[in-house]
Amino acid sequence: MPAVNYRLEGEVAVLTIANPPVNALSLAVREGLLQGLQRAEQERAVRAVVVTGADGTFAAGADINEVASGLVLQSPITREVQAQMEAGTKPIVAAIEGVALGGGFELALACHFRVAAASARVGLPEVKLGLIPGAGGTQRFTRLAGPQAALEAITSGAHLPAARALELGLVDELAEPPLAGALALARRAAAEGRPLRIASDLSERIRDVSPELFAAFRRRLEPKARGQLAPWRIVDSIEAACTLPKEAAFAREREYFIECRDSPQRQALVHVFFAEREARKIPGLGAQVSALPIRRAAVIGAGTMGAGIAMTFANAGIPVSVLELSGEALERGLSLVRSNYDGSVARGSLTRERAERALALIQGWTGYQALGTADIVIEAVFEDLKVKQQVFARLDQEAAPHAILATNTSTLDIDAIAASTSRPERVVGTHFFSPANVMRLLENVRGKHTSPQTIATVMALARTLGKIAVLAGNCDGFIGNRMLMFYGAQAEFLLEEGATPEQIDRVMEGFGFAMGPLAVRDLAGNDVGLAIRKGRRLPPDERWSPILERLVGEGRLGQKAGKGFYRYEGRTRIPDAEVLALIEGVSRDLGIQRRQIPDEEILDRLLHPLVNEGARVVEEGIAIRASDVDVVYVNGYGFPAYKGGPMYWGRQAGLARVVQTMRRLAPTHGARWRPAPLLERLAASGKGWND
Ligand code: NAI
């Protein structure tokens, strides 16, 4: 099979990209397109051209393996194919089904006209790989749809539904099937001798654009894209489209593309991309193990997490029953769900119709009778082992015999929970993150007896729910929260030694975390943090800082109390002299001489323990591979994706440095802070996680 199929439909040459699974624009595809276009141009019987994709999709983008190599692509590159399109004399129409993304959409944008299926999605998601579109995407998009739409869509990497693309002028017609519509349009254009519409020559939308438009957008982008390269270069490139002559603007896009392609951020983001795919692979889980179909679900507990988990199922079109202890608690939970949906509708991220459809899939109950038909039950009651064991004993009796019983526990022992049932092979952890309907991570946790089918089911379920799953082993805190203990504890030790909350948060936010560790504590609630800490089993030589307990003692519970590590006016945090006095009191009581702490020390002492504990997690088999740890931290804990996750970052920063930090920490903080044996071995040999 050639990568591009050439056939005639009367006077129209149809070029079909056939490069399964997603019609990526590999070298063979680019060659096939170029040859097909040249042939159509030469053949006298051909009066127009349609470009489309096989198997229900146009093209999902460049070949990711070529992108990942970071090397200069082999000729013909996409821009040469586009040049041939724009130099041609016959109308070229793109017929878009499925997706036209990245390089695929850039190709479509160089056609004279675009016809899409209503269900198609188009967009330029390069930013997610640390890149800017490099084949004229920022230029043609801007000339067709105007700078404001281009800024929003390309800096976010959004996939636009066809109807929106039509509204923006990126697509000319919607048709079912799009190929028929494209053929008709191609014939009409040829018969009428319609002028060929070359997007890169359009100028109406880019004329007289106020510089203020870019200034305002940059201000809006700042909190989201601080520290990143690609989003800013996208803005620069769109601005170039509006201010420079065409050739210079295209050249500028090219320069920015190369700058991004060669940046460490692009490498880190490509690492995350592959790590997320790799995380789906579970060694020992053969192809003969098939996932159980999940047609109905049930959630126990309609609190913060239960409500969000129910929404997650409903959003994926799976009917879900929600169980609560009382009608009152149930009503509270369901109204939380409703107000969340109302919020999404008000923000425009969901249509009223889709919200109603999802809501109709969620049913509330105060008894267990609803469980009989659920294929999976997810428990999200209080974090208390006894309560959970009681709930599981009851679930075991009430749920269908084939049903999987899952717990959303963030720290408790899965085996101890499974032991209260007669089906431990069907018990598993499904650890969602808050807010569950938004956060993309699902940390699945396998117990001693969890069966391969149960694991296969919850891994497949994650994809159905639009989540990224990582499989963890059973231990206190699993992968994510176990590592986090060291990060959180160290922040407080630094406070004792002389740092301030605002210094620590500033340094970590400067590194790229959305929020620093103490701001996060205030958000989650210091009483909650303290309760979790008290539930932990600590080795005898390890200690906690008393700061958290003292804050709680003074009613400084966090944002909900208007004060915690900071004072709050609305959501704005304000450094508070009272907190500093409290911290200084702790230092005094502990006999610690406070000192000026350099920013760099803060960064090392918070991040190196993460890497170190990550190494233990890998060595003990709690994580299957180091890159799974990165997936957990990037998707669940706000670690900046453009730094690749803690393990990737640690390797770049130098594992030997991490070992040094840990050697310094262990004598004062306890044996758990010693360098992980795996880390010491790798640091000594100069090897990386996978060498
Ligand atoms: P929550 O306190 O908001 O909700 C718990 C709900 O369970 C309450 O509405 C309560 O009435 C209900 N409940 C208690 N016993 C029940 C029973 N026997 N039958 C039916 N309903 C019952 O708690 P939250 O924050 O939603 O946490 C739930 C679980 O999720 C905990 O295990 C927690 O560790 C875990 N988790 C929490 C996260 C968070 O950020 N809040 C993140 C990830 C996991």
Side-chain angles (χ1 to χ4, degrees):
M1 268 295 279
V4 175
N5 180 282
Y6 184 98
R7 73 168 197 278
L8 290 181
E9 290 264 348
E11 296 175 329
V12 183
V14 179
L15 273 56
T16 308
I17 305 170
N19 182 23
V22 295
N23 295 338
L25 302 185
S26 60
L27 177 62
V29 170
R30 300 192 302 266
E31 276 169 350
L33 284 169
L34 188 61
Q35 284 160 13
L37 290 165
Q38 286 164 345
R39 180 172 159 194
E41 182 65 24
Q42 283 154 12
E43 282 185 13
R44 296 200 46 192
V46 172
R47 299 195 58 201
V49 181
V50 166
V51 179
T52 190
D55 296 329
T57 202
F58 188 78
D63 182 331
I64 184 75
N65 291 309
E66 282 182 63
V67 173
S69 74
L71 300 174
V72 178
L73 297 190
Q74 241 177 297
S75 176
I77 57 175
T78 304
R79 282 178 302 138
E80 291 168 73
V81 177
Q82 293 168 319
Q84 173 68 34
M85 286 177 160
E86 295 189 343
T89 57
K90 302 173 183 178
I92 305 174
V93 185
I96 303 172
E97 234 182 328
V99 297
L101 297 173
F105 191 45
E106 291 184 288
L107 185 75
L109 288 173
C111 296
H112 303 116
F113 307 102
R114 284 153 295 280
V115 176
S119 59
R121 282 172 303 130
V122 302
L124 297 172
E126 283 83 351
V127 69
K128 293 181 180 160
L129 291 177
L131 285 169
I132 89 165
T138 62
Q139 304 300 306
R140 293 188 181 91
F141 193 123
T142 306
R143 286 162 183 266
L144 284 163
Q148 188 65 40
L151 288 168
E152 281 165 19
I154 310 177
T155 58
S156 69
H159 296 188
L160 305 171
R164 176 78 182 133
L166 180 71
E167 220 170 77
L168 290 174
L170 296 165
V171 158
D172 302 284
E173 282 177 23
L174 301 188
E176 285 330 311
L179 181 57
L183 282 168
L185 177 57
R187 290 192 182 110
R188 256 189 345 262
E192 293 166 6
R194 212 185 266 193
L196 303 181
R197 196 154 178 267
I198 295 176
S200 56
D201 286 340
L202 302 176
S203 59
E204 196 187 320
R205 307 297 306 264
I206 55 171
R207 234 180 274 140
D208 305 325
V209 176
S210 155
E212 175 52 26
L213 182 141
F214 295 99
F217 190 82
R218 287 191 172 97
R219 283 195 296 275
R220 261 177 56 201
L221 191 63
E222 173 60 29
K224 281 180 275 181
R226 195 171 9 99
Q228 297 178 55
L229 177 63
W232 299 104
R233 288 297 178 256
I234 288 167
V235 178
D236 295 343
S237 188
I238 294 170
E239 190 171 36
C242 299
T243 51
L244 298 179
K246 173 179 149 183
E247 278 72 25
F250 270 77
R252 198 60 76 78
E253 180 195 81
R254 192 69 200 153
E255 283 163 29
Y256 294 144
F257 171 81
I258 291 167
E259 181 188 2
C260 291
R261 184 195 66 198
D262 295 344
S263 75
Q265 294 191 6
R266 196 272 307 162
Q267 283 177 25
L269 285 160
V270 167
H271 161 75
V272 172
F273 177 89
F274 283 112
E276 289 176 356
R277 291 186 163 194
E278 189 72 11
R280 296 178 198 150
K281 297 183 193 149
I282 312 299
L285 211 65
Q288 77 285 1
V289 183
S290 60
L292 199 73
I294 301 293
R295 299 192 186 92
R296 299 192 68 89
V299 176
I300 315 297
T304 315
M305 294 307 290
I309 296 169
M311 290 175 71
T312 306
F313 277 97
N315 293 346
I318 301 174
V320 54
S321 304
V322 184
L323 263 78
E324 257 293 350
L325 288 173
S326 67
E328 196 188 324
L330 182 62
E331 194 32 55
R332 207 176 330 117
L334 293 179
S335 62
L336 185 65
V337 168
R338 274 192 295 271
S339 70
N340 275 338
Y341 277 122
D342 287 345
S344 304
V345 172
R347 276 195 310 278
S349 58
L350 203 64
T351 61
R352 170 58 61 191
E353 188 207 346
R354 290 198 63 177
E356 292 299 335
R357 216 182 315 149
L359 260 173
L361 291 172
I362 303 177
Q363 267 201 349
W365 300 81
T366 50
Y368 279 74
Q369 67 274 29
L371 289 189
T373 55
D375 302 305
I376 189 166
V377 183
I378 297 186
E379 166 277 314
V381 306
F382 306 127
E383 185 78 344
D384 177 317
L385 183 60
K386 287 222 174 61
V387 175
K388 290 200 193 274
Q389 284 175 326
Q390 281 165 11
V391 169
F392 270 73
R394 186 76 197 273
L395 292 179
D396 192 31
Q397 290 166 7
E398 306 284 345
H402 75 277
I404 288 176
L405 307 181
T407 171
N408 187 49
T409 181
S410 29
T411 49
L412 299 174
D413 180 357
I414 305 292
D415 295 329
I417 294 172
S420 61
T421 74
S422 65
R423 56 176 106 177
E425 74 287 355
R426 289 178 186 276
V427 175
V428 66
T430 49
H431 181 206
F432 289 80
F433 287 71
S434 182
N437 55 313
V438 176
M439 296 290 286
R440 291 184 75 207
L441 182 65
L442 180 62
E443 189 182 28
N444 288 327
V445 188
R446 81 166 115 193
K448 216 178 346 192
H449 303 292
T450 310
S451 71
Q453 188 185 42
T454 303
I455 293 169
T457 305
V458 292
M459 294 306 287
L461 177 66
R463 294 188 75 184
T464 312
L465 298 179
K467 305 281 181 206
I468 292 169
V470 167
L471 185 64
N474 185 24
C475 67
D476 191 7
F478 319 128
I479 298 175
N481 283 341
R482 168 170 162 177
M483 289 166 60
L484 194 68
M485 281 192 268
F486 292 85
Y487 176 80
Q490 200 56 236
E492 287 160 47
F493 292 147
L494 284 160
L495 291 177
E496 291 174 349
E497 290 172 41
T500 62
E502 50 283 17
Q503 185 192 8
I504 293 177
D505 285 343
R506 173 178 53 73
V507 171
M508 300 320 287
E509 287 163 14
F511 177 78
F513 279 92
M515 268 178 127
L518 302 165
V520 168
R521 274 214 182 287
D522 272 355
L523 184 67
N526 292 322
D527 49 339
V528 176
L530 186 63
I532 292 174
R533 180 174 289 183
K534 286 189 165 161
R536 290 264 150 84
R537 302 166 296 265
L538 277 193
D541 71 335
E542 202 164 322
R543 73 171 189 96
W544 294 115
S545 165
I547 291 176
L548 197 61
E549 192 152 11
R550 291 203 195 172
L551 284 173
V552 172
E554 298 202 357
R556 304 195 72 106
L557 305 186
Q559 268 198 36
K560 61 186 170 190
K563 54 183 188 173
F565 282 95
Y566 298 90
R567 189 160 66 73
Y568 288 87
E569 279 174 17
R571 286 189 167 191
T572 311
R573 58 189 203 226
I574 298 159
D576 191 341
E578 277 181 32
V579 177
L580 198 58
L582 182 148
I583 293 170
E584 283 166 355
V586 170
S587 309
R588 223 175 10 254
D589 294 351
L590 294 172
I592 296 173
Q593 178 70 43
R594 291 179 70 77
R595 64 187 166 95
Q596 198 72 36
I597 305 209
D599 287 357
E600 200 184 12
E601 181 178 343
I602 291 180
L603 204 59
D604 287 355
R605 283 179 58 183
L606 290 187
L607 293 181
H608 292 176
L610 267 186
V611 180
N612 190 55
E613 196 61 15
R616 282 187 211 279
V617 154
V618 172
E619 197 163 25
E620 291 170 23
I622 294 296
I624 293 170
R625 46 184 88 79
S627 63
D628 283 5
V629 175
D630 290 333
V631 175
V632 166
Y633 263 77
V634 164
N635 290 292
Y637 293 85
F639 195 101
Y642 62 88
K643 299 224 164 128
M647 308 307 269
Y648 179 89
W649 175 85
R651 168 85 169 121
Q652 306 298 312
L655 297 182
R657 258 189 75 158
V658 180
V659 169
Q660 268 171 20
T661 305
M662 301 316 294
R663 286 202 179 127
R664 219 169 47 202
L665 293 178
T668 24
H669 297 305
R672 290 273 286 158
W673 295 86
R674 275 205 299 256
L678 170 65
L679 191 67
E680 281 191 311
R681 282 200 304 278
L682 294 179
S685 63
K687 287 189 174 156
W689 304 112
N690 303 319
D691 300 346

